[in-house]
Amino acid sequence: MTIESTQFNPTCCRPSMGRRFFQDVGQLLVRPGVFFGTLADTRRLRDALIFMGLVTIIHSVPASLLMQAGGSIFIGLHMLNALAMPVITASLLYPVLRVWAPGRFDFALLLAVTAYANVVVLFAWIPGLAPWAELLKYGLIGLGLTRTGGIGGWKAFGAILCATVMLLLLFYGLQHLAGV
């Protein structure tokens, strides 16, 4: 048996889920451009969904404990919000980018970008930081769109703006239907 006859097994040395989570958080906070630049080549959708789930759990517990009328219902609501918003954002970005940048994005890539941009909710539970974290999240989504799909910054900004307008119209339409 020589070194040339052995086969490399990439699954033998994969870091654990916890270690990979902390590596991803660190890289997203310190060098997000590099992270999103290698996203399509190194990460799978499964990794992004696991990351989103862990971020959601870490966010929901302290956020619900800080509420004065706390309870398990608020943990569920925070978890639902943190899990649903990346999916909704990717669902709204998908038709916009199908028109503006055809063939560059599929839904799985958009969901991965929005799931990893959701890293900011780790800090959103701190009182006063939620609005700034939300702005940073959309900035990370824009950076992710430019790095993964190769579109320009203005096109990414326009796509996020269109998705935001579509989300607002969706909420207003649902309020109108509910009679609120």
Side-chain angles (χ1 to χ4, degrees):
M1 178 189 249
T2 65
I3 204 145
E4 291 83 18
S5 66
T6 60
Q7 292 183 355
F8 175 68
N9 186 0
T11 60
C12 76
C13 303
R14 283 190 73 176
S16 67
M17 188 177 0
R19 179 175 289 175
R20 183 147 187 167
F21 173 76
F22 287 114
Q23 287 174 348
D24 290 346
V25 168
Q27 194 170 14
L28 276 165
L29 295 177
V30 175
R31 299 181 64 179
V34 173
F35 180 85
F36 284 119
T38 61
L39 178 70
D41 300 329
T42 60
R43 304 285 193 277
R44 297 179 307 214
L45 181 60
R46 178 180 167 267
D47 297 333
L49 295 177
I50 290 172
F51 181 84
M52 184 174 66
L54 290 173
V55 165
T56 299
I57 291 169
I58 293 171
H59 162 74
S60 299
V61 173
S64 63
L65 291 176
L66 285 176
M67 301 194 85
Q68 295 199 354
S72 60
I73 188 75
F74 287 111
I75 291 176
L77 289 174
H78 280 285
M79 288 183 85
L80 180 65
N81 181 37
L83 288 173
M85 282 311 293
V87 175
I88 292 170
T89 304
S91 298
L92 294 174
L93 282 171
Y94 184 69
V96 173
L97 290 170
R98 290 271 301 188
V99 173
W100 284 0
R104 293 188 184 215
F105 296 98
D106 60 348
F107 184 75
L109 182 61
L110 288 175
L111 184 58
V113 167
T114 57
Y116 281 115
N118 214 27
V119 70
V120 298
V121 301
L122 289 175
F123 309 107
W125 63 269
I126 300 171
L129 286 185
W132 303 109
E134 198 67 25
L135 288 174
L136 179 61
K137 179 173 85 170
Y138 286 107
L140 286 174
I141 290 172
L143 180 64
L145 293 177
T146 59
R147 297 297 174 135
T148 58
I151 62 173
W154 285 108
K155 193 175 274 192
F157 176 75
I160 292 171
L161 190 63
C162 285
T164 304
V165 169
M166 289 167 57
L167 181 67
L168 290 173
L169 290 174
L170 177 70
F171 283 144
Y172 285 130
L174 290 175
Q175 281 182 346
H176 180 70
L177 288 175
V180 176

